[in-house]
Amino acid sequence: DGALFHRLGVGISKTFSLETLSHKYTGGLFPKIIGTVYYIFGINPFIVCIVNSVLTSLTAPILYFIGKQVLDNNCEAKIYAFISLFTFSHLINTTVLMRDGYITLFMYLTIFLFYKFYKNCNLLYLALSFCSLFLLYSFRPYAAFVMFFALLAAWIVSKLKLNSDKKTIKTNIITLAVTILSPLILGVIIYLLLRISDFMSILSVEDLINIREVSYQYSDAAIDFDFGALYSKFFLLPFIVGYLYMFLAPFPWMWTKIARIIYVPDMIVLYMILPSFVNGLIKLLKKRNFFLYVFFFDMLFMFSFYCITLGNAGAIHRLRGPFIPMIYLIAISNPNKFLSKILNKIQKWRLV
């Protein structure tokens, strides 16, 4: 991807104009940022990497604020922000020609601004959150749609939970399920109405697999195996395999190549924190926390989307990066004894 964005940026810088910037490019806004920097400072990828690092560093205070609201502990909020940003995936994505750092920034900025609207009902924050959502759309369009539905679902569930706590209305599992899924159902209906001409090809599993194979060959991507073919055996199997890869890959027996060995520290931390993450999911509905609801729905919708559309098990875990702070926060909000001891020792020794 970095080589592709570099080539696009060079092309934009050589024909730099408002008309050139108005064209659509792979990667959305990111190649235009590269082209603009190249046009001003010359073709030097290092300068773009510096710009990426500076701009995406704004993610740190946003994560700290979110952590402070959920954890009610300044020290734990600092630990949360620190370990979320000092993962290999985040460090590499913010220091090379990749757009993932911006995607992470605008994901959490959108959540933060919408939370301010949720708490204060100030329309200014709502407008700012939609501006941030538009910027997210400019880098990865489908992530913006998923984020919108996650925010809407979190809003509905938070209000239902609040009213249920106050015993103003009665809720049951069916009502809750319909409420949660209604934004997704509405979005799918709207999408299918807009894309009705492509609907039949989307329904064909064979066509979907063929599209994947062509795209992988075009981009020279390595394929571990395409679990899209598993649909024909059992329709839930791609989700089971996809979620396993999303949370657990690269597996220990895959730590033989340099490209995967560099993920080992991240995976050790993730394996240590996953039991607390599961514990946090179990207790999620008992807490009326807007941030945790957004994180849960965004991961649920996006990971399911990846399982359906991506298929390549060798690539799916590389898209986990922007969601690592979500996994960490849900885990730290309900830590088990092991994680609690680690957090207490970090606070005691003042490592963060």
Side-chain angles (χ1 to χ4, degrees):
D1 288 346
L4 172 62
F5 293 143
H6 171 70
R7 290 196 299 270
L8 292 173
V10 170
I12 292 172
S13 65
K14 290 182 177 179
T15 59
F16 190 82
S17 65
L18 292 176
E19 182 180 356
T20 303
L21 293 176
S22 65
H23 294 164
K24 291 184 178 180
Y25 298 94
T26 301
L29 187 61
F30 189 54
K32 299 176 184 180
I33 294 175
I34 297 175
T36 303
V37 173
Y38 284 173
Y39 177 75
I40 297 173
F41 298 103
I43 300 175
N44 187 345
F46 182 69
I47 297 177
V48 179
C49 293
I50 294 176
V51 173
N52 287 355
S53 300
V54 172
L55 293 178
T56 57
S57 65
L58 296 173
T59 309
I62 297 172
L63 288 180
Y64 169 71
F65 173 83
I66 293 174
K68 189 177 178 181
Q69 296 298 311
V70 175
L71 303 172
D72 294 324
N73 185 314
N74 286 342
C75 190
E76 286 189 359
K78 290 178 182 178
I79 295 171
Y80 161 67
F82 182 84
I83 65 173
S84 295
L85 296 180
F86 276 85
T87 59
F88 173 80
S89 58
H90 184 76
L91 291 175
I92 197 68
N93 288 334
T94 55
T95 53
V96 297
L97 297 181
M98 299 287 284
R99 56 181 169 162
D100 295 66
Y102 293 97
I103 292 168
T104 304
L105 170 63
F106 291 118
M107 279 176 58
Y108 292 98
L109 180 60
T110 301
I111 295 171
F112 162 69
L113 292 171
F114 194 85
Y115 169 78
K116 299 290 286 185
F117 165 71
Y118 169 79
K119 292 293 289 185
N120 305 318
C121 292
N122 189 328
L123 292 179
L124 175 61
Y125 288 118
L126 180 63
L128 290 174
S129 67
F130 276 102
C131 289
S132 179
L133 192 65
F134 175 76
L135 289 171
L136 176 61
Y137 175 86
S138 300
F139 285 95
R140 184 168 284 169
Y142 64 83
F145 288 114
V146 172
M147 177 59 70
F148 173 79
F149 290 123
L151 290 170
L152 185 58
W155 170 284
I156 294 171
V157 174
S158 296
K159 294 300 183 183
L160 280 177
K161 189 67 170 62
L162 176 62
N163 292 333
S164 178
D165 292 342
K166 292 181 177 180
K167 302 186 184 302
T168 56
I169 60 172
K170 294 183 178 180
T171 58
N172 53 48
I173 296 176
I174 297 177
T175 304
L176 190 60
V178 172
T179 305
I180 291 172
L181 295 176
S182 59
L184 184 61
I185 295 171
L186 179 62
V188 170
I189 293 174
I190 295 174
Y191 179 83
L192 293 178
L193 290 175
L194 293 175
R195 306 287 182 178
I196 191 67
S197 60
D198 300 325
F199 181 55
M200 295 307 298
S201 63
I202 292 174
L203 285 179
S204 172
V205 174
E206 292 76 12
D207 289 345
L208 186 58
I209 294 174
N210 290 334
I211 291 171
R212 289 176 186 149
E213 291 178 348
V214 171
S215 65
Y216 295 149
Q217 293 169 4
Y218 178 78
S219 60
D220 297 326
I223 307 176
D224 281 9
F225 67 91
D226 187 346
F227 54 81
L230 300 176
Y231 279 107
S232 60
K233 299 180 179 179
F234 179 50
F235 75 101
L236 287 179
L237 204 53
F239 293 98
I240 297 172
V241 177
Y243 271 82
L244 286 174
Y245 269 78
M246 186 64 77
F247 283 101
L248 303 177
F251 301 101
W253 57 85
M254 296 178 175
W255 299 349
T256 56
K257 298 180 181 179
I258 295 296
R260 287 172 176 170
I261 291 175
I262 54 181
Y263 282 97
V264 170
D266 291 358
M267 296 312 302
I268 292 174
V269 174
L270 186 59
Y271 290 161
M272 290 169 55
I273 215 167
L274 275 179
S276 294
F277 172 75
V278 174
N279 187 43
L281 289 180
I282 294 173
K283 297 181 178 179
L284 188 66
L285 285 178
K286 294 181 180 179
K287 291 190 173 184
R288 187 174 57 84
N289 191 287
F290 178 78
F291 286 119
L292 296 182
Y293 288 151
V294 176
F295 287 3
F296 169 73
F297 288 120
D298 198 42
M299 285 192 295
L300 176 66
F301 296 160
M302 185 63 81
F303 288 3
S304 299
F305 174 78
Y306 284 149
C307 291
I308 295 172
T309 60
L310 186 61
N312 182 9
I316 193 169
H317 66 83
R318 290 197 291 272
L319 296 168
R320 181 177 57 220
F323 301 93
I324 288 178
M326 299 184 182
I327 297 173
Y328 285 179
L329 187 58
I330 292 176
I332 295 175
S333 67
N334 284 283
N336 57 14
K337 292 182 179 180
F338 177 72
L339 184 57
S340 295
K341 288 181 179 180
I342 294 177
L343 293 173
N344 291 334
K345 287 183 179 180
I346 293 175
Q347 295 180 63
K348 181 179 179 180
W349 295 339
R350 297 181 181 179
L351 298 178
V352 177

